[in-house]
Amino acid sequence: MEDKIRAAFAELHADEALIDDTLAYLRKEAKKRQKGRKKFAIPMRLGAVAAMVLLAVGVFSYNLYFTAAAHISIDVNPSVELTLNRFDRVIGTYAFNEDGASILNEASLRGKAYDEAAELLLSTIEANGYIVEDSLISVTVQAASIEKEQTLCESLLQFISEKILPVQASAEIEVFPVTADVWSNAHGCHVSPARFLAIQELMEADDTAALEDYADTSIRQIRRRTQECRDGHTESNDSNSESDPQNEQGHWQGNGHGHGYRGGR
Amino acid sequence: MRNEADINRALQMYADTVRRICFMHLKNRSDVEDVFQEVFLKYALHEAAFESDVHERAWLVRVAINACKDVLKSFWRRRVSSLEDTDITVSDEYKEVLDAVLRLKPPKYRNVIYLHYYEGYKAAEIAVILGQKENTIYTWLDRARKQLKTLLGGEPDGR
């Protein structure tokens, strides 16, 4: 039986037509695949180049967008800073003190144009009751070029004056540029550049003054203390010893607002 | 894709094997052609080297059986159930045996009978080709032999 089965299967062959048709089919398939490969060769190469260009543009744009180009520090008492990219959009925020941190928690500023962010920031500060009669709003700008700093300063002074003065006519506004060194030293001491410069002036007038002692003191109080030292007074820096703020405004182009410059550029 | 010389050599060596497997499962000529061409296309596209001719043959057998199974998955395709269903002409001497093989049910018994009696594979080798346990193949062979015995009115020899 085994032989019979083997012999019976041996009778079965693939006929010539089947083999020829299969060969013809395989040749056709081979040509089709070769053509397909050629057809895709150029588009694939182009696709790869396009993908690389897109990737490079993407990385470049990402770097461009997320590279810091300017820093605007606002010190009311909440003391905060906005980091802008070269398109004047906020790419980072920083709080120098707890009040600043709570303000930043309330206001979502990332991605916003700097004027929009500053408006939101100031309105949040105002809504939280920090801008009161005779408040001093110190704004510093640090940018890569003096021109850029000037533009931002002018624009911010005008903008903040328009927003704040109708609400608090007696508020004092100062906007001035600072050097990269001042900015970096201020950050090293965890105070805003405006407060850093104010403390430095106090330290020049009072040998016993230390930066740590005045880090949480408002700029206005620091300046009063400095003035007191210059005037020959040596009383404590206790805030209760504040004199009438209106009397001090002359130094900062008073009468409500001004654009001061204190040791920056 | 393999070169034409390689494909010609494979066709010369294995065309009959593939055709026999198709014979056991497929009823009409166009299905046979489809499977036959598909099997050799897969071979042409399989660029990895085979360890030996034995390995190559076993690979083609497995591909051919699976290709037949795939075709037969279609609901409306009727399975071959007798020699009359096929377009094959064989001498009267072997008609009875081949007809008995085609009447084996389930069709997987045809594979083991063919692979064992004609191709000369042992149960362990068939188990590898069909992806079954060796004991399963022994069972299938035993049952297939019994069916053949009944169909042919005699007793097929074991190996």
Side-chain angles (χ1 to χ4, degrees):
Chain A
M1 181 56 63
E2 183 184 336
D3 292 341
K4 225 174 178 181
I5 292 172
R6 194 176 300 129
F9 273 114
E11 281 275 295
L12 304 174
H13 297 286
D15 52 88
E16 287 301 316
L18 186 60
I19 293 172
D20 290 346
D21 286 351
T22 302
L23 262 177
Y25 166 76
L26 293 175
R27 280 192 197 114
K28 214 166 106 183
E29 280 295 313
K31 268 188 192 168
K32 215 194 282 180
R33 276 156 209 272
Q34 231 166 3
K35 263 189 198 168
R37 211 175 283 171
K38 275 181 193 164
K39 211 190 233 176
F40 283 110
I42 292 172
M44 272 178 76
R45 225 172 281 168
L46 274 176
V49 170
M52 282 176 74
V53 168
L54 275 175
L55 185 71
V57 168
V59 169
F60 180 73
S61 307
Y62 181 89
N63 282 334
L64 204 65
Y65 190 88
F66 288 103
T67 300
H71 302 280
I72 297 173
S73 306
I74 300 176
D75 197 324
V76 178
N77 163 45
S79 187
V80 294
E81 185 173 86
L82 304 177
T83 300
L84 309 184
N85 63 14
R86 66 181 61 221
F87 309 110
D88 291 339
R89 295 224 160 238
V90 177
I91 55 167
T93 56
Y94 185 79
F96 291 104
N97 55 18
E98 277 180 26
D99 291 341
S102 74
I103 290 298
L104 288 181
N105 275 340
E106 276 184 49
S108 173
L109 306 170
R110 278 174 190 267
K112 288 191 163 62
Y114 81 97
D115 49 353
E116 195 188 345
E119 181 178 1
L120 182 58
L121 194 57
L122 287 168
S123 65
T124 310
I125 292 171
E126 201 272 325
N128 279 276
Y130 290 109
I131 299 176
V132 291
E133 201 180 339
D134 301 330
S135 279
L136 170 64
I137 300 167
S138 291
V139 179
T140 59
V141 172
Q142 195 279 311
S145 70
I146 293 173
E147 292 76 21
K148 179 71 182 173
E149 285 173 348
Q150 222 161 10
T151 313
L152 282 173
C153 282
E154 280 165 15
S155 154
L156 280 165
L157 178 63
Q158 189 186 345
F159 167 77
I160 296 170
S161 303
E162 281 168 8
K163 295 285 172 191
I164 297 296
L165 294 180
V167 183
Q168 279 297 343
S170 59
E172 187 182 351
I173 302 161
E174 57 179 15
V175 182
F176 55 95
V178 292
T179 62
D181 280 347
V182 168
W183 179 84
S184 135
N185 288 335
H187 267 261
C189 301
H190 204 60
V191 291
S192 70
R195 200 173 298 206
F196 177 79
L197 289 171
I199 296 171
Q200 284 224 312
E201 282 190 7
L202 171 61
M203 286 161 75
E204 278 170 24
D206 178 4
D207 292 343
T208 61
L211 197 140
E212 309 87 73
D213 299 335
Y214 290 88
D216 295 324
T217 309
S218 74
I219 295 173
R220 191 184 288 287
Q221 287 167 10
I222 295 167
R223 287 189 185 144
R224 277 181 194 142
R225 176 72 191 143
T226 307
Q227 198 56 47
E228 282 167 5
C229 291
R230 283 178 182 157
D231 293 346
H233 298 289
T234 52
E235 288 88 358
S236 77
N237 61 0
D238 184 39
S239 60
N240 292 333
S241 68
E242 278 187 27
S243 56
D244 184 0
Q246 290 284 3
N247 297 335
E248 304 294 324
Q249 283 176 1
H251 185 77
W252 286 91
Q253 300 179 17
N255 199 25
H257 59 94
H259 180 176
Y261 173 87
R262 294 190 66 87
R265 286 206 184 269
Chain B
M1 196 161 181
R2 288 171 185 271
N3 60 43
E4 195 162 331
D6 216 1
I7 293 166
N8 276 329
R9 183 191 62 82
L11 273 166
Q12 273 181 359
M13 287 176 74
Y14 309 115
D16 289 346
T17 300
V18 175
R19 180 65 186 93
R20 284 170 194 134
I21 292 167
C22 292
F23 159 78
M24 289 191 294
H25 298 284
L26 306 173
K27 191 170 176 178
N28 69 54
R29 171 79 182 185
S30 72
D31 285 348
V32 170
E33 275 178 10
D34 286 350
V35 167
F36 196 85
Q37 290 175 358
E38 189 193 323
V39 169
F40 283 99
L41 178 62
K42 278 190 176 160
Y43 174 82
L45 296 173
H46 184 87
E47 288 179 355
F50 291 104
E51 293 163 16
S52 61
D53 285 352
V54 173
H55 179 214
E56 191 174 57
R57 175 182 290 273
W59 186 87
L60 277 157
V61 166
R62 186 166 57 242
V63 170
I65 289 173
N66 287 335
C68 289
K69 275 188 195 166
D70 288 345
V71 167
L72 292 171
K73 274 178 193 163
S74 307
F75 177 74
W76 58 86
R77 278 206 165 82
R78 294 173 60 198
R79 293 159 187 268
V80 64
S81 54
S82 75
L83 199 58
E84 283 172 14
D85 290 337
T86 71
D87 63 338
I88 291 279
T89 48
V90 287
S91 57
D92 292 345
E93 192 184 350
Y94 303 114
K95 260 186 186 167
E96 192 192 2
V97 177
L98 290 176
D99 206 43
V101 170
L102 293 183
R103 285 173 196 275
L104 287 173
K105 280 181 185 156
K108 60 192 176 191
Y109 291 171
R110 301 170 199 169
N111 291 330
V112 289
I113 287 292
Y114 169 72
L115 294 174
H116 182 63
Y117 285 110
Y118 185 80
E119 294 288 346
Y121 286 116
K122 291 179 179 133
E125 293 167 327
I126 298 172
V128 172
I129 291 171
L130 298 182
Q132 298 290 337
K133 287 181 182 167
E134 192 177 339
N135 281 343
T136 306
I137 302 300
Y138 278 122
T139 307
W140 289 0
L141 267 174
D142 188 49
R143 288 176 186 167
R145 275 192 208 112
K146 280 177 185 160
Q147 271 193 35
L148 269 180
K149 182 185 162 188
T150 311
L151 289 164
L152 295 170
E155 193 169 345
D157 302 326
R159 275 170 75 102

